[in-house]
Amino acid sequence: MEYNFREVEKKWQEYWKEQKTYKTEIDHNKPKYYVLDMFPYPSGAGLHVGHPLGYIASDIFSRYKCHQGFNVLHPMGYDAYGLPAEQYAIQTGQHPAVTTERNIARYREQLDRIGFSYDWDREVRTCDPKYYHWTQWTFIQLFNHYYDQKHSAARPIVELVHDFETTGGFNTHPFGEPKPNFTASDWQQMDQAQKNQILMGYRLAYLADTFVNWCPALGTVLANDEVKEGFSVRGGHPVERKKMQQWFLRITAYAQRLLDGLETLDWSDSLKEIQRNWIGRSEGATIFFQLPAINNAIEVFTTRPDTIFGATFMVLAPEHEWVKDLTTPQYRDAVEEYVAFASRRSDRERMTEVKAISGQFTGAFAIHPFSGKKLPVYISEYVLAGYGSGAIMAVPAHDSRDYAFAKHFGLEIIEVVAGGNIYEASYDAKEGILVNSDFLNGMQVQDAIAEAVRRIEEKGIGTGRINFRLRDAIFSRQRYWGEPFPVYYRDGHPEMLPEESLPLPLPQIDKYLPTETGEPPLARAKNWHTPEGWNYEVNTMPGFAGSSAYYLRYMDPHNTQQLVSKEAVEYWQSVDLYVGGAEHATGHLIYARFWNKFLFDLGVAATQEPFKKLINQGMIQGRSNFVYRIKGTNTFVSHGLRQQFDAIPLHVDVNIVHQDILDQEAFKKWNPEYKDAEFILENGKYLCGWEIEKMSKSFHNVQNPDDLIERYGADTLRLYEMFLGPIEQAKPWDTNGIEGVFRFIRKFWRLYHNKNNQWDVNDTEPSLAELKILHKTIKKVSDDIERFSFNTAVSSFMICVNELGELNCNKRAILEPLAVLISPFAPHLAEELWWQLGHNQSITKAKYVQWDENLITDDTVVYPVSFNGKTRFKVELPAGYSAIEVEQAVLDAPEAVKWLEGKTPKKVIVVLGKIVNVVI
RNA sequence: GCCCGGGUGGCGGAAUUGGUAGACGCGUUGGUCUCAAACACCAAUGAUAGCAAUAUCGUGCCGGUUCGAUCCCGGCCCCGGGUACCA
């Protein structure tokens, strides 16, 4: 008879559910703590063992905080909109809502079996109209606000309109293009269409034409973070450039705040670095170069204004709007051809051919603002239309790309910063003395940059400027399964729906495909227009719309009047601990921070940053097993003998392999093809090979939690996932080790029971040794939880149980606190023991246990004694000894004679409580 | 190419960042219990040499700082992630 985990786990899961043990309400008598998991997209495949890793860690931390007296908010929900459900709908005609519902039910069932402490009354789903009501509401607010650069905050667009009406925009400083350049009476005389167009340049949600990442296979536009190396992240389809009208979010307005906010966050350095690079701040200057031929000046952005005297030519992006105007008749054909060539090329092609230099002279010349020299104007792909002003001053001596271009076209190279050898390569470093540079000669680079900016501003030919790499976020998707925009078009102009009419529900359509004329699927919907007959927007919102403020909604999920009530947001503030994957670094985690900052400006969010501390759980890799089939036969050779044959490795289902030994009968049944398989064994066994790979169906290495829970129980699974290694580190899943944790759980149970599995705990006074073990463990485990080192916490429990087991300890004074200590890790086991200990309330309500430092400190210290750094022997000395006493005791020790070899030590280093080193 | 991480037994990892390298677990080997198996328990387990006590070597490689380096510094190699002409 042993611990019956199946019965016990089922019993307490039902009890917790019935009693709503994990229900959370605002409680002003307790400090709050908010623990959040990145909510999952419920895929059809269900959870595999990699998914719950982060959930288990956050659950342990939640339960720990709860025991410590915090009022813990720990919710869960679903990021329910997404491409897979829609792709499935296209193939089968099944409504995505139906598959999504089914997948959610499956996820819930799996999650419930692991014993999480979620407050399910707070569940949200992004596809629920009650939820996306507030996603739509936020979009309306974005449309109706602009970013005021003077106050660094979003302001209602009506304030901007008012200022345009009264001063022509004298008092406001809106972020956007172009800068207001009209008087109040100019504005008043404009018609509504002109006004709308100007305002569109400042709204935080705006409609614009641009080149977008178009994915023909998915039939939609993708955001930058959804594209990787020219292919869609989801599905891996090719992506091309296409000019389209799209909704955008003006996230660039918040670039500086997004950058500054990183300093305040307790996130990993690597994650913050990824965001910094993605935001890509660079300081420099914009400078205007005169183009006499068209009587205009072209703007360039440079981070190296100090090298302005090294500028020997200019390069424009092929898409630059002035290319046509400035090209001389003589070069017209060649330029047109090059522009056409560039526009034809996909991002993919451009990327794979980075090294190939191409470009075309336009026939035009610009005038150097200081030297007055004529600089030839080129166009080339290596200058991007979307960054800076889409034009550069080329300084070949100090920029490797300009250098390559100059060499290719035989252009002049002038050294202006000493330190390199410009005959061999450009010298890009930001250090050295300026030469050939008129008023900058003799300066250090850093000083020269400042001086150049000063002169440029003084001369009125430019200004110091900061540029960001971050682009505005494309917010339209040509898909069905997403939030509808709360937008209709009146005479072609976008208008927001009144807030009272929200939510605008997603309509039914007959097919989940674009229309015959190429319009998005929503154009198929019948009556997709306002009661007045104005057509609704046919695009839907992207995946990140619904996931950008869900943490706020969890605070007050059933509020029909507001996104979140003042009271709830004031109490819960923001997320204290957020656990999820690092793959969201440039997507969700940027958008959510932006969205939160906007809501903060509105007074809806309570803090500048949504996620104070963030832990990235590392990916769980799969461990695949292989069998080796001898070519052309149905005979399989064991791993150790495979070299003697001409055999090819084949993936085999890891579920029919134990400790790398193949279950031959199961193998024959696994696939009809193998039913007559024969085996060449070694030592009577068929040994499989193994490899670490991605966990994937096609590799037959997927482990789902249900099977493991069935075999070992949820507590074992929880402990084992934590025991695997540091939470943030990627590591392979290897089921082989789970037996050890399973053994530990049963040993733990046996501390409280006798050989016949009968309850056996008594009230005898514990010994000092027993107390020491307990208090040492409390201290270690508590420390480990605080620093999210759950793998070492589990080992500490193992050591504790081994030690108590040796002492046959079955004393309440030890075992009762131990149950509380382990309850965050193994809640079912702990709950069962708790009630058997005579309590009549859930262990989750029990107070956390404290360690007593006096019980941990020992009276003696074992000093390792080393001679010249090599450990030779150990001496046990009283803990109170001073350095001199320790030194004396060590030199007097009988073992010391041998190592001293009769010499006098040169030096003796004593580190109290740690070590003694004798130098001879 | 550039920017971050990281290389420790047969395997996952520990050593809470300068103080006994290899905790804990898996695996392996031998043993106890059993008619047998399962379960459980005990012992050994970095490498090399030796019957042994013990000795030498050992944290990717080469060098340095230090009484002492897995940890700090310099150079190199390999693996993982991010990024991709961002002026």
Side-chain angles (χ1 to χ4, degrees):
Chain A
M1 277 296 282
E2 289 228 314
Y3 174 47
N4 187 339
F5 62 84
R6 281 194 196 90
E7 201 174 282
V8 167
E9 291 184 352
K10 188 161 173 272
K11 175 168 88 185
W12 294 114
Q13 282 171 10
E14 279 167 11
Y15 174 87
W16 295 330
K17 197 171 179 179
E18 277 162 24
Q19 299 293 315
K20 288 194 185 285
T21 302
Y22 303 114
K23 190 168 173 56
T24 312
E25 309 266 23
I26 290 175
D27 179 352
H28 290 285
N29 297 315
K30 278 183 173 179
K32 69 95 192 185
Y33 200 87
Y34 187 174
V35 179
L36 183 62
D37 296 300
M38 286 186 189
F39 63 174
Y41 173 77
S43 83
L47 293 171
H48 67 62
V49 291
H51 296 112
L53 183 76
Y55 304 158
I56 294 168
S58 61
D59 196 59
I60 290 169
F61 203 77
S62 298
R63 288 172 178 273
Y64 166 75
K65 279 283 171 186
C66 240
H67 283 302
Q68 285 195 320
F70 286 87
N71 189 26
V72 176
L73 180 58
H74 188 212
M76 182 48 95
Y78 303 97
D79 188 10
Y81 277 131
L83 286 178
E86 184 163 356
Q87 293 296 84
Y88 188 74
I90 290 167
Q91 286 160 24
T92 62
Q94 178 88 271
H95 196 286
V98 176
T99 40
T100 302
E101 180 76 33
R102 192 165 60 217
N103 294 347
I104 285 176
R106 168 99 180 101
Y107 263 62
R108 177 63 190 276
E109 200 185 312
Q110 289 185 294
L111 290 169
D112 280 348
R113 293 196 64 191
I114 305 174
F116 291 123
S117 61
Y118 295 126
D119 176 2
W120 283 106
D121 289 351
R122 291 175 182 265
E123 179 195 307
V124 301
R125 300 176 183 192
T126 53
C127 66
D128 179 351
K130 293 195 287 294
Y131 178 87
Y132 66 67
H133 180 151
W134 301 104
T135 311
Q136 292 175 335
W137 176 85
T138 308
F139 181 82
I140 293 174
Q141 309 312 311
L142 284 161
F143 183 82
N144 287 328
H145 284 76
Y146 74 101
Y147 194 81
D148 178 356
Q149 297 182 92
K150 196 170 172 190
H151 298 97
S152 295
R155 289 293 174 98
I157 198 98
V158 291
E159 288 182 9
L160 186 64
V161 172
H162 178 77
D163 191 45
F164 285 167
E165 277 168 359
T166 51
T167 73
F170 185 78
N171 293 321
T172 47
H173 304 82
F175 181 95
E177 296 290 340
K179 301 287 162 244
N181 185 20
F182 44 79
T183 64
S185 62
D186 286 344
W187 174 263
Q188 284 158 24
Q189 279 159 30
M190 287 179 204
D191 64 26
Q192 197 53 46
Q194 283 174 301
K195 287 179 181 174
N196 283 345
Q197 208 200 328
I198 287 173
L199 290 174
M200 204 53 107
Y202 307 113
R203 295 179 186 278
L204 289 175
Y206 65 97
L207 207 50
D209 280 321
T210 54
F211 284 99
V212 294
N213 306 308
W214 173 254
C215 179
L218 294 172
T220 189
V221 157
L222 298 170
N224 289 338
D225 65 281
E226 293 168 325
V227 182
K228 216 176 145 183
E229 291 175 4
F231 290 90
S232 65
V233 172
R234 275 249 155 109
H237 306 292
V239 171
E240 49 194 56
R241 296 184 315 143
K242 190 176 175 184
K243 196 161 195 167
M244 285 178 79
Q245 190 185 55
Q246 302 284 304
W247 282 104
F248 283 81
L249 299 187
R250 206 178 298 280
I251 187 170
T252 48
Y254 284 79
Q256 188 62 51
R257 278 171 69 188
L258 287 169
L259 196 60
D260 294 342
L262 288 173
E263 305 301 322
T264 68
L265 295 177
D266 187 2
W267 293 13
S268 74
D269 289 337
S270 75
L271 193 62
K272 287 201 262 191
E273 198 57 29
I274 291 170
Q275 291 216 340
R276 270 187 213 111
N277 291 339
W278 189 261
I279 296 165
R281 183 184 199 269
S282 47
E283 256 175 78
T286 64
I287 310 171
F288 287 89
F289 285 68
Q290 289 297 327
L291 283 166
I294 59 165
N295 194 23
N296 213 333
I298 193 151
E299 182 186 0
V300 303
F301 174 74
T302 177
T303 56
R304 296 293 301 275
D306 57 311
T307 62
I308 188 158
F309 288 96
T312 54
F313 59 100
M314 303 196 64
V315 188
L316 272 55
E319 299 92 345
H320 198 286
E321 52 178 349
W322 292 2
V323 169
K324 219 175 183 160
D325 294 339
L326 59 80
T327 301
T328 59
Q330 187 185 351
Y331 288 95
R332 185 142 298 147
D333 290 349
V335 166
E336 274 175 16
E337 198 180 306
Y338 185 79
V339 170
F341 157 77
S343 69
R344 252 196 334 267
R345 302 218 311 153
S346 66
D347 281 357
R348 177 80 195 150
E349 284 172 314
R350 290 172 74 139
M351 262 181 260
T352 50
E353 293 163 32
V354 164
K355 300 245 153 54
I357 295 155
S358 72
Q360 174 59 47
F361 179 48
T362 61
F365 288 89
I367 304 301
H368 192 288
F370 289 107
S371 71
K373 272 199 201 167
K374 285 171 79 180
L375 309 177
V377 178
Y378 281 75
I379 58 171
S380 174
E381 274 192 334
Y382 87 91
V383 174
L384 306 176
Y387 186 76
S389 56
I392 62 159
M393 64 173 202
V395 184
H398 305 288
D399 182 290
S400 52
R401 295 153 303 178
D402 297 346
Y403 189 86
F405 194 85
K407 283 276 178 188
H408 188 259
F409 287 95
L411 296 159
E412 195 185 1
I413 299 171
I414 304 174
E415 179 180 54
V416 289
V417 180
N421 176 3
I422 62 151
Y423 298 101
E424 278 178 7
S426 64
Y427 178 64
D428 297 13
K430 276 192 172 183
E431 51 190 41
I433 305 289
L434 273 282
V435 294
N436 300 325
S437 292
D438 195 348
F439 53 83
L440 298 174
N441 281 335
M443 290 186 181
Q444 288 285 342
V445 167
Q446 288 308 329
D447 302 332
I449 289 174
E451 177 60 12
V453 171
R454 201 184 64 76
R455 292 280 193 137
I456 286 163
E457 290 183 348
E458 186 182 83
K459 213 166 183 242
I461 54 166
T463 52
R465 164 112 165 234
I466 291 151
N467 233 329
F468 292 95
R469 201 193 78 120
L470 185 71
R471 298 275 74 99
D472 280 346
I474 301 168
F475 203 61
S476 302
R477 295 292 181 275
Q478 293 68 43
R479 302 291 300 201
Y480 172 71
W481 192 229
E483 299 87 344
F485 281 87
V487 173
Y488 64 95
Y489 290 87
R490 185 197 292 268
D491 300 328
H493 294 298
E495 300 272 355
M496 296 297 115
L497 293 177
E499 288 178 20
E500 340 41 286
S501 71
L502 297 181
L504 174 64
L506 187 66
Q508 296 291 330
I509 56 174
D510 56 349
K511 264 198 269 182
Y512 307 99
L513 289 170
T515 65
E516 282 63 34
T517 55
E519 280 205 278
L522 283 198
R524 292 177 174 276
K526 293 204 172 63
N527 304 319
W528 189 237
H529 52 69
T530 63
E532 299 80 31
W534 303 111
N535 284 335
Y536 287 130
E537 169 69 60
V538 292
N539 287 292
T540 53
M541 296 189 200
F544 67 83
S547 59
S548 285
Y550 73 114
Y551 57 93
L552 284 173
R553 192 62 184 162
Y554 278 137
M555 297 173 182
D556 194 10
H558 307 297
N559 194 327
T560 54
Q561 302 306 306
Q562 300 162 84
L563 196 167
V564 56
S565 74
K566 202 85 202 151
E567 192 204 1
V569 80
E570 287 297 327
Y571 181 75
W572 296 111
Q573 294 280 309
S574 60
V575 176
D576 295 287
L577 173 68
Y578 197 26
V579 180
E583 67 272 19
H584 297 106
T586 54
H588 163 62
L589 287 172
I590 288 255
Y591 295 127
R593 292 182 60 222
F594 155 66
W595 202 278
N596 180 77
K597 283 181 189 301
F598 171 68
L599 290 172
F600 175 81
D601 290 349
L602 258 55
V604 175
T607 61
Q608 279 272 7
E609 289 290 340
F611 315 121
K612 205 182 291 171
K613 181 176 176 66
L614 186 140
I615 299 272
N616 289 125
Q617 92 267 25
M619 206 184 46
I620 296 250
Q621 296 146 311
R623 186 183 189 276
S624 306
N625 275 117
F626 294 89
V627 291
Y628 302 89
R629 175 156 69 180
I630 299 171
K631 267 189 195 156
T633 71
N634 212 2
T635 302
F636 296 81
V637 58
S638 184
H639 178 256
L641 306 170
R642 70 190 192 286
Q643 245 96 38
Q644 301 165 22
F645 299 87
D646 187 12
I648 45 162
L650 295 168
H651 279 93
V652 60
D653 189 345
V654 293
N655 293 298
I656 58 171
V657 178
H658 300 290
Q659 308 286 14
D660 294 333
I661 297 163
L662 181 71
D663 180 338
Q664 295 165 37
E665 288 315 305
F667 180 72
K668 288 180 183 173
K669 282 184 213 138
W670 178 52
N671 187 328
E673 205 185 314
Y674 304 142
K675 76 176 192 303
D676 300 319
E678 290 181 34
F679 302 95
I680 300 175
L681 308 176
E682 49 185 320
N683 302 326
K685 290 166 184 167
Y686 189 96
L687 284 175
C688 297
W690 61 273
E691 221 170 275
I692 303 302
E693 302 179 286
K694 202 179 131 211
M695 196 172 278
S696 154
K697 247 184 189 170
S698 58
F699 297 149
H700 302 293
N701 61 4
V702 176
Q703 288 276 350
N704 79 52
D706 313 60
D707 295 345
L708 294 165
I709 289 170
E710 185 52 36
R711 278 242 293 285
Y712 302 105
D715 287 336
T716 298
L717 178 77
R718 291 169 64 104
L719 250 60
Y720 186 58
E721 293 230 4
M722 294 299 100
F723 188 61
L724 228 39
I727 184 85
E728 303 204 59
Q729 192 175 303
K731 56 216 162 247
W733 177 265
D734 183 354
T735 311
N736 292 337
I738 201 168
E739 302 276 353
V741 173
F742 188 48
R743 248 168 241 152
F744 159 76
I745 289 278
R746 284 176 296 171
K747 271 194 218 172
F748 194 96
W749 175 261
R750 261 183 267 134
L751 285 178
Y752 299 72
H753 295 81
N754 64 19
K755 288 196 178 75
N756 302 317
N757 202 31
Q758 285 156 336
W759 184 250
D760 187 16
V761 172
N762 63 51
D763 288 329
T764 339
E765 280 293 306
S767 70
L768 185 62
E770 289 166 338
L771 283 168
K772 245 183 193 149
I773 295 166
L774 173 70
H775 284 257
K776 194 182 68 186
T777 307
I778 296 173
K779 184 185 163 120
K780 174 81 171 110
V781 168
S782 308
D783 277 1
D784 286 349
I785 295 173
E786 291 286 354
R787 59 192 184 100
F788 299 92
S789 175
F790 300 114
N791 56 329
T792 52
V794 176
S795 337
S796 306
F797 277 121
M798 288 175 170
I799 294 167
C800 172
V801 166
N802 288 344
E803 289 177 351
L804 290 178
E806 248 165 69
L807 300 175
N808 288 317
C809 173
N810 56 351
K811 293 162 187 164
R812 170 181 291 271
I814 302 294
L815 298 183
E816 194 166 83
L818 192 59
V820 177
L821 194 63
I822 205 167
S823 104
F825 294 82
H828 310 86
L829 174 69
E831 189 80 279
E832 177 66 19
L833 294 172
W834 189 247
W835 288 68
Q836 289 198 22
L837 281 161
H839 298 274
N840 52 16
Q841 205 198 173
S842 170
I843 192 168
T844 58
K845 313 294 176 198
K847 205 163 165 288
Y848 197 68
V849 283
Q850 260 319 285
W851 73 88
D852 182 346
E853 199 66 50
N854 294 324
L855 286 170
I856 295 171
T857 41
D858 288 306
D859 302 337
T860 61
V861 181
V862 176
Y863 281 96
V865 180
S866 48
F867 287 77
N868 290 339
K870 281 187 197 302
T871 308
R872 297 305 184 183
F873 61 90
K874 289 164 192 170
V875 282
E876 188 170 2
L877 299 171
Y881 264 26
S882 70
I884 294 159
E885 287 170 311
V886 170
E887 179 176 338
Q888 205 42 250
V890 163
L891 294 178
D892 291 347
E895 300 96 318
V897 180
K898 177 184 169 192
W899 297 105
L900 281 170
E901 296 165 351
K903 294 171 200 157
T904 320
K906 282 187 190 137
K907 201 172 173 188
V908 178
I909 288 123
V910 177
V911 183
L912 279 181
K914 292 272 187 187
I915 198 170
V916 179
N917 189 20
V918 182
V919 187
I920 50 172

